[in-house]
Amino acid sequence: MGGRILLIEDEGNIREAIGFILSRAGWEVQGHGNGATAIEAVTRTKPDMVILDIMLPGLSGFEILRALRDGAETAQLPVLMLTAKGQARDQEAAFEMGADAYLTKPFSNADLLATVARLAQARATGDRA
């Protein structure tokens, strides 16, 4: 597997841990910690996938997701919401806005890797995850 992932997460230790897990699995991970500049970071880095927290400074993950889905170049970009917000209404809102997957913190490394692999496979075959 492999490819470029943009991890939008404001907690530095979480960014580092997720980056380590994914890089060991062959992914190139770039971290970004500010919601206000996240859309620009997606445009600049052109990732194969975005992992997105909901609670971010500047713009929320929901606002970022909406902007990604509204953009011509990012409408089909796989987005995994990875957040501490585990309530059903948050998950439903994310899927209604176009999230491809949703994991809550804390998560297992195996679940994270399996979800990322599933999204990458769906993108490669042109399917929605």
Side-chain angles (χ1 to χ4, degrees), residues 23-70:
S23 64
R24 281 188 31 196
W27 294 93
E28 177 187 326
V29 181
Q30 184 168 2
H32 191 80
N34 188 336
T37 56
I39 300 300
E40 185 276 325
V42 171
T43 302
R44 180 176 30 81
T45 62
K46 299 191 182 334
D48 298 308
M49 182 182 311
V50 170
I51 299 177
L52 180 60
D53 191 8
I54 291 176
M55 296 178 290
L56 295 163
L59 289 177
S60 75
F62 288 134
E63 292 169 304
I64 295 164
L65 177 60
R66 185 171 293 128
L68 292 174
R69 292 300 175 242
D70 288 345

Side-chain angles (χ1 to χ4, degrees), residues 59-127:
L59 289 177
S60 75
F62 288 134
E63 292 169 304
I64 295 164
L65 177 60
R66 185 171 293 128
L68 292 174
R69 292 300 175 242
D70 288 345
E73 292 184 16
T74 57
Q76 298 301 313
L77 181 65
V79 176
L80 163 58
M81 303 300 287
L82 185 64
T83 180
K85 296 181 73 71
Q87 294 185 355
R89 71 174 181 257
D90 294 316
Q91 186 170 352
E92 290 167 10
F95 284 124
E96 286 173 8
M97 289 181 210
D100 296 288
Y102 194 101
L103 288 176
T104 56
K105 300 172 191 170
F107 55 88
S108 75
N109 294 357
D111 285 344
L112 174 63
L113 291 171
T115 302
V116 167
R118 179 174 54 83
L119 293 178
Q121 179 64 32
R123 180 177 177 143
T125 60
D127 297 330

